[in-house]
Amino acid sequence: MEKGLSLSRLALGLALACLAWRVDAASAAPAPGPPPLEPEQRGLDEIDAIPTRLVACPVCSYSVAVPEADVLMRWPPGAAGAGGWRMHAASRDADFCPHPGRRKVAFQANMPTCPSCGFTREAGTFAEPVSPKLAAWVRETIRPGLRAAQMELVGRRAAGLAEADLIAFFNRQEEFPDSLRLEYARVVAEAMGDPCLARAEMAWLAAWAIRRELSGPPAGAVLRRLAGNAWGSLPKAAGNNADVKMKIEAVHRFISRPPRSAAGGNAPGRPEQLAARMTLAGLLDRLGCKREAEKELAEAKAAFGERFARPEQDPLWPATSAQNRRARRAEELEDLRREAEREIGIRLELLRRESEYLTMAADLIRRGILSGECDGQPELAYFHAYLAGEFIRRSGNLPLASEWLKTLAALLPAGSRLGATIDKQLLLLRERAGDRVNLLSALGEDGDLFAKLREIAQP
């Protein structure tokens, strides 16, 4: 079943504003990066099903099966945050985006969505009453789009499903894609008027959900099979910047090898190499190279769309079934082109949305720090300021990101863990843009923010 990618266009139809949702002290990171000791999470092979409890939706009263995700965690005795759910992180990106390991809970299990009306909120506060005005807004704004999204997710089977059965199916929270779940949560919480930093966190969680989607396999069966051959050539690395670079180099080699028709043996076929560009784009996005990821997708789109005088001249022809008649193989070829065009178009839109959410998060962080939400908490202020700089970098504004991170680094205590992280990101900026990032002092009005950080740091 397709998850998320097919829903992205439906999600865009919402009247989006940035959302906020309230987080308690256990879920808000008080220091930069992941916890010093990553908690273990029980594997899906260790449980019969994700445990849930029924909670009445405060908007429509439907009995929502809210995951009890906390019980899946194995925190060491006495560890900070013990008992709270965290998404499993087999690897993390430079902005701390987690990528779950195989057979782990891989959706935002602490953010249930009502499958009847679309109301989405953090599990601990999900059942709290909401105003009649907000309830009416959810029913009028979110619910119609939700039903259309559910129908598209289920596909052709939806035609034979009663609405009650469709809703019951999506009461299994794992069936609902995070890219849409967190978008619903974002707009619901915006309407609830939460603080800037809480809203910033939801914006970056929405961006992370999209990134995990982009780093996964294509939705279509044929493209997934073709792209899977590129994944098989990748080194088994942990996923930090250096390891992602190693994987990018491996995919580059895969794409540049002489195709099977010329080299024979175990060489890749041309269709596999074209599909591998989607894999490469996802890896580049993990590194924060948005423009390069867009370039790979655009080149793949052009290659998949190219037409030839005779079908057998087409590099995609080997991806069709030799068992079928020529006319049927020609139909398969066009089906593959349509599948690729649709997939690539959606991925380009997802890249745009990820950048939009990260830019939104950076702006909310600025506003939150300046309005005093980090007063008396310098580590929290530095953590959010680093994220803002990293989000600016990922959105493509390299001069501003460079100046931002260099200015922040000068404020940090010598030898700090965050300072070492900033040094790595500045190195990446120099690799991507060379001395051009130093040509512009781009802070401008953000000088006020760094003045505020200095004020917060005062004993």
Side-chain angles (χ1 to χ4, degrees):
M1 176 186 298
E2 293 185 18
K3 295 188 180 204
L5 286 174
S6 62
L7 296 175
S8 301
R9 289 170 182 159
L10 288 173
L12 294 174
L14 287 172
L16 293 180
C18 47
L19 113 45
W21 59 290
R22 300 186 187 280
V23 292
D24 57 25
S27 62
L37 181 62
E38 288 278 11
E40 288 291 325
Q41 186 188 103
R42 299 180 197 278
L44 296 177
D45 54 342
E46 301 176 60
I47 57 176
D48 292 330
I50 298 172
T52 61
R53 69 182 190 280
L54 292 177
V55 176
C57 172
V59 170
C60 68
S61 300
Y62 186 84
S63 292
V64 180
V66 174
E68 294 187 304
D70 291 3
V71 304
L72 299 177
M73 305 308 300
R74 292 178 177 146
W75 285 91
W85 180 81
R86 288 181 186 269
M87 181 171 285
H88 183 262
S91 62
R92 288 183 183 272
D93 297 333
D95 59 353
F96 311 126
C97 170
H99 293 266
R102 187 171 175 270
R103 298 192 64 79
K104 301 291 186 179
V105 173
F107 68 98
Q108 197 76 34
N110 64 335
M111 295 291 294
T113 296
C114 174
S116 177
C117 70
F119 178 75
T120 306
R121 199 177 185 189
E122 195 272 329
T125 57
F126 182 84
E128 292 180 1
V130 300
S131 69
K133 182 178 180 181
L134 178 65
W137 178 84
V138 170
R139 288 191 294 266
E140 294 168 6
T141 306
I142 294 182
R143 187 171 182 168
L146 168 69
R147 201 67 70 239
Q150 290 169 330
M151 296 283 283
E152 185 171 347
L153 269 173
V154 173
R156 285 175 293 184
R157 291 178 298 160
L161 281 178
E163 184 178 38
D165 294 331
L166 186 67
I167 293 170
F169 176 80
F170 284 100
N171 211 8
R172 295 190 292 269
Q173 294 291 320
E174 61 268 30
E175 299 293 342
F176 204 73
D178 266 0
S179 56
L180 195 55
R181 176 200 315 280
L182 293 169
E183 202 159 289
Y184 286 160
R186 195 172 61 82
V187 293
V188 167
E190 166 65 18
M192 300 179 78
D194 285 353
C196 288
L197 293 184
R199 287 154 53 193
E201 183 169 3
M202 183 49 66
W204 78 61
L205 286 178
W208 288 355
I210 289 174
R211 192 182 311 160
R212 285 190 290 268
E213 202 166 290
L214 285 167
S215 65
V222 178
L223 285 174
R224 188 186 303 118
R225 172 175 56 80
L226 294 174
N229 292 314
W231 275 111
S233 71
L234 297 183
K236 307 302 180 187
N240 56 31
N241 273 4
D243 291 335
V244 173
K245 288 180 185 178
M246 190 189 313
K247 291 183 177 182
I248 288 171
E249 291 168 0
V251 179
H252 270 302
R253 289 194 298 271
F254 183 88
I255 292 172
S256 61
R257 287 167 64 187
R260 187 177 298 123
S261 57
N266 295 320
R270 184 61 177 149
E272 297 165 320
Q273 292 173 315
L274 291 178
R277 290 193 177 277
M278 295 186 204
T279 300
L280 181 56
L283 291 169
L284 287 166
D285 186 46
R286 286 197 58 181
L287 206 59
C289 301
K290 174 177 173 282
R291 291 175 184 169
E292 291 85 343
E294 289 174 334
K295 179 175 178 289
E296 291 298 332
L297 289 174
E299 290 183 2
K301 185 175 182 180
F304 273 108
E306 190 175 1
R307 296 298 195 276
F308 292 80
R310 297 196 306 274
E312 59 269 21
Q313 295 176 319
D314 197 310
L316 296 175
W317 186 251
T320 62
S321 175
Q323 307 296 322
N324 289 330
R325 292 179 296 106
R326 178 185 172 89
R328 177 67 189 110
R329 289 188 72 179
E331 290 177 13
E332 284 184 66
L333 185 64
E334 288 307 310
D335 287 344
L336 176 56
R337 290 192 192 285
R338 283 191 292 270
E339 181 182 306
E341 181 178 290
R342 178 175 178 277
E343 181 91 24
I344 293 170
I346 291 174
R347 285 176 177 254
L348 284 166
E349 181 58 37
L350 287 173
L351 274 174
R352 186 198 66 77
R353 283 176 54 207
E354 181 191 3
S355 180
E356 176 186 334
Y357 291 155
L358 293 179
T359 300
M360 183 186 299
D363 181 62
L364 286 164
I365 287 171
R366 288 185 183 101
R367 291 161 55 187
I369 292 175
L370 287 170
S371 65
E373 291 183 31
C374 288
D375 285 2
Q377 304 176 79
E379 285 192 349
L380 190 64
Y382 293 151
F383 169 60
H384 281 90
Y386 166 73
L387 286 181
E390 172 64 5
F391 296 158
I392 291 167
R393 180 186 74 83
R394 287 177 174 271
S395 298
N397 191 337
L398 302 189
L400 177 57
S402 179
E403 292 298 318
W404 184 288
L405 292 175
K406 284 189 292 186
T407 305
L408 177 60
L411 300 179
L412 297 175
S416 71
R417 193 158 59 107
L418 187 56
T421 302
I422 290 175
D423 288 342
K424 292 178 183 177
Q425 294 313 95
L426 288 172
L427 177 61
L428 182 61
L429 278 162
R430 285 193 291 273
E431 288 176 356
R432 289 188 64 198
D435 292 336
R436 285 185 294 129
V437 298
N438 298 317
L439 294 178
L440 175 64
S441 180
L443 285 175
E445 64 183 25
D446 293 312
D448 292 343
L449 181 136
F450 286 95
K452 179 68 174 179
L453 287 177
R454 295 184 186 94
E455 176 189 317
I456 293 171
Q458 295 302 314

